[in-house]
Amino acid sequence: MQRDIIQRPGLPVGHADARPVARTSLPGNLLAPSTARRFVQAALTEWAGLGLPAAVGFSERLAEDAAIVASELVTNAVVHAGTTVELLCRLEETAEDEAAALVLEVSDHHPARSVGGDAPEGGAADTAQGDPSPGPEEPAEYGRGLQLVGTLAERWGITYRTGLKTVWARLPVDDWNPFPEPSAENGFARRPRAAELLAPSARRAPRDDTDWAGRGALSFLAEASDLLAGQLDEDIVAALSGQLLVPRLADWCAIWLEPENGGPSAVPRLASVWHRDEAETGQLRTVLEQDPIRLPERVGTGPVSMPWPAGEEDESDESGESGGCAVSLFAYRITSGGRTLGAVLLGREDGARVPDEVTALIEDFVRRVGLAVGAARAYTRQATISRILQRALLPSKVADIPGVSRALVYEPSDDGVVGGDFYDIFPCPGDRWCFVLGDVQGSGPEAAVVTGLARPWLRLLAREGFGVGEVLDRLNRLLLDDAMEAAEAAALMVAAAGGQQTADTGQSRFLSLLYGELVPLPGGGVRCTLASAGHPLPLLLRPDGEVRQAAEPQMLLGIFDDVAYASQSFDLEPGDSLLCVTDGVTERRSGSLMFDDGDGLARSLAGCAGLSADGIADRIKRAVHEFAERPPDDDLALLVLQAG
């Protein structure tokens, strides 16, 4: 536990009014939530023992609820981000307008990922799109952690920084009551009035627009460019944009995005709403959803004065006065590449004229938003095409082998580009079953062409009755001819269509391949014949834990046309297991180390003695993921065959 004492200006060191902070770093594994609970309870116990003024209101109920909130936030970070987790607890002492509160902050290092789970309506989770619906194999109660946080906390939200995403929750210390009596009037039973949502708060300090001249504007644009660059989800771009604009340049903002292929009749989607008072965000969204805005192209990219939302005319006059509160509303068109992508609507509650320097600054900012949204949509299109292509390149179903249980793990990298790993298991004449695990050098459309040719060629050659070595010989010659020409043609088509070629376009497409066939034996077990062409060598696990290599290394396919490939044969006795992997397993990196350094894969496999095929696959997959903090950056595929 690392403890800080935050000293307020004008107080001597050690003054009792200093604010304590406790922070710790937790590994991204299943032990993190329980550790977080103990950490929070220990911090509260220590602060209460110190006699801090804010700790006077501590109660057993507060300690329990704080531990629950910390556990849920840490669990969410571990499950959905998979990185190390930073947990921070701090006390905010009583101020003029707010009671003392305990603030919990949980940060992970994967800001591009959405926050999973349900979000309370109108909460700050509007900034990230979680998936509240349970998956086909998830229990019905899965994904309700953030609902619990929203119930126990006074308010909560999400903050994005470069390389970091923080989910925070504020729990009041005095008069602790997370379940207040329901009010006589249901806030959602009637439509909220815009004047109620946007009326200035007496405690808000006036905004000084002169701060945004010169260096202030440049620093803001530099921060915005840094945060928006590289975001691959348009909803996260919208969420970040709202947090950057509010409260710096506006009291609230809303961002609409046009459907990508919707046409003139499509209705813009309200992607993000952000209010300087988080409690007002949900009701503001309700008002704005009833009147989507779409700015015509003739207005350009500058600011456009806007009337009150439709249906509120009775509460505002032509001067922009609503309920006695002067409010400035103005909008900007979001563009990229000459196309309209949406609009940004901003509200300022002081009613004063917005200086030209500020409107120009917001226009520059919105231009960056347009570039980020355009880049995110381009990535989404590419990722969608890649997923469809990836599914087409893999078999819809793999065969069941009599007397052999199998387990297959395939995880393509999450880079939006079709990968080069592929697999197959299929029957052949003569009571034979063939299996394939391959990896095309590179990625993208050129690699997809080679994969799309190699897998059906393998099936054809195997079913024609060629032996394992002969199949590789003939496949090698085919790759040197048709596959290379097809890959080059694909690269030219990508370039002609205005796409971006991969860095290795024009080079030969190499293929590493592990190919084998299984023949059941009369007394049990199977006869295995296989060959490895530049592929990580398969490992044979005996029931007693002995591990040995099951093939000899040979040349990659697609390099030389005069290579003669040889095969090795052995018996898989009942209980024996064969592990086949791609280099996404063996070359998984943690700093300068790789997973297979010092026979790391063999050591991991030796610890799997006695496990089923599924158990071995799961154990190896977890070992690969836990080898480094960051998620794998390469395709990961492994196949386990276990004789029964």
Side-chain angles (χ1 to χ4, degrees), residues 63-76:
E64 293 176 355
D65 290 337
I68 292 173
V69 169
S71 177
E72 294 297 337
L73 294 182
V74 170
T75 299
N76 204 43

Side-chain angles (χ1 to χ4, degrees), residues 318-371:
E318 295 180 355
S319 65
E321 298 275 343
S322 178
C325 302
V327 180
S328 299
L329 294 176
F330 51 103
Y332 293 81
R333 191 163 60 95
I334 303 174
T335 64
S336 178
R339 297 181 56 193
T340 298
L341 302 182
V344 177
L345 178 66
L346 299 103
R348 289 167 61 104
E349 300 168 358
D350 49 21
R353 177 184 176 276
V354 182
D356 293 340
E357 294 83 0
V358 174
T359 59
L361 172 61
I362 298 175
E363 183 177 350
D364 284 341
F365 172 80
V366 174
R367 188 176 296 111
R368 286 162 171 77
V369 174
L371 293 174

